[in-house]
Amino acid sequence: MIREALRLYKGKARLVRSAAQGDPVSRVLNLPRGRAGYDRYEDIRAAGDLVRGPSGLYMTASHALCGKVLRSSDFGAVPTTVSKRTLRPVGGGAGRLVHPLDDSFASIDPPEHGRLRKIVAPAFTPQAMRAQEEFVTGVVSEELERLAGQSTVDLIGEFAVRVPSRVICEMLGMPVADHELFVRWGIEFGAIVDGARTPGEVRRTRKLLTEMASYFSDLCDRRAADPGEDLVSRMVRATEAGEMSREGLVATCEALLIGGFVTTANIIGNAVVGLFDEPVQHQRFLADPAGLAATLVEETLRLDAPAQYGVRIVRAPTTLAGRDLAAGSPIVTLLAGANRDPEVFTDPHRLDLTRPNPHDHLSFAAGIHYCIGASLARLEGRIALQALFTRYPDLRIAGRVRYCPSRVIRGPAHLPVRT
């Protein structure tokens, strides 16, 4: 543990030193958790289409380049963290910890990626989403009714998180009663998704991954003994048939739960903040929430990407933006920067409900790793925002907005409003 602590501290010291010297890549990586990084993404754009940091890490905020990297088979998925690979579960035990992203199909390349994705994909088809619409509408209505009569509420904790949490729990066949536990996991995972940098963060990572693995291992055992028609039961059957490993099963359960509510919660929270930052757009939306809800979701995704960046690795020597890249070279695709590329979006730093191309954003990535739950997030966001402003047209922000303590995840953690 001492050796690991020294490695972490040395790495952090080098990063801080490079950032202080003005290196734009180091400045992005050293961004304080919870702070918007858009000014630093613009520094990357100003430095060139593809910028190399002192450690050999490349970074791009170019929409065209991000799209190329995400869609090309020359670039593969890469684990989100390194230190996790050597960690043991809290309380002992053999083997390494299961990570929601590193050990699910989210970080696996073809051909295994496609085989594993097909197991889950039927739950997110257009037909499946149409079947979910009535249920989502009912959940939204019930959660809005809970807010009635309350003068000031935390819109995130009391609505934006509760709606998608209930929906994904229904799909996975999980108890909604554990909602508070799932929310805590989502917040904690967002804080460490880009890797542990201090011994304290390593300890918190171990504790979180141990808790989630234990919970989902027990859940999968129960589904094996008493299967149903839910998504977890489907994955358990695939595991029993040899189509998915036990580790992959647990990791995919974790990824679907966290991704299933964190993204939608951030869409709702970011949309509300975005509308109040732009009074003209706010009034435009209030005049036609049914007609503009889908556009508001897309424009919010563009303006404030729930996941600010992703990482890909060069699979074989290649050339990109005039640079010869060696195999193994990591590239950070600044999705939030690409979404504000002036080459693609006019006046990109403003929310605009009349924008002709908001759907050209890369917030759900692209290519084979395009977010499998994108259609569900869009459905939930559209229904929730339309109903929220229809039911409470006089909604107002009533205090300081606090953001998720993360460098990767962008969205309010606390949003006080008056209904």
Side-chain angles (χ1 to χ4, degrees), residues 99-108 116 247-248 251-252 255:
H99 191 284
L101 299 182
D102 293 2
D103 299 311
S104 69
F105 60 82
S107 294
I108 296 175
L116 294 175
E247 183 179 75
T252 303

Side-chain angles (χ1 to χ4, degrees), residues 234-249:
R234 180 185 302 167
M235 290 189 291
V236 167
R237 288 192 289 270
T239 302
E240 292 173 340
E243 299 172 2
M244 178 182 279
S245 69
R246 174 72 176 198
E247 183 179 75
L249 167 64

Side-chain angles (χ1 to χ4, degrees), residues 14 16 54 61 80 101 111 120 124 146 157 167 185 198 226 327 330 336 360:
R14 285 194 297 269
V16 171
T80 60
L101 299 182
V120 177
F124 299 96
R146 289 180 61 255
V167 173
W185 284 349
T198 68
D226 184 20
D360 288 341

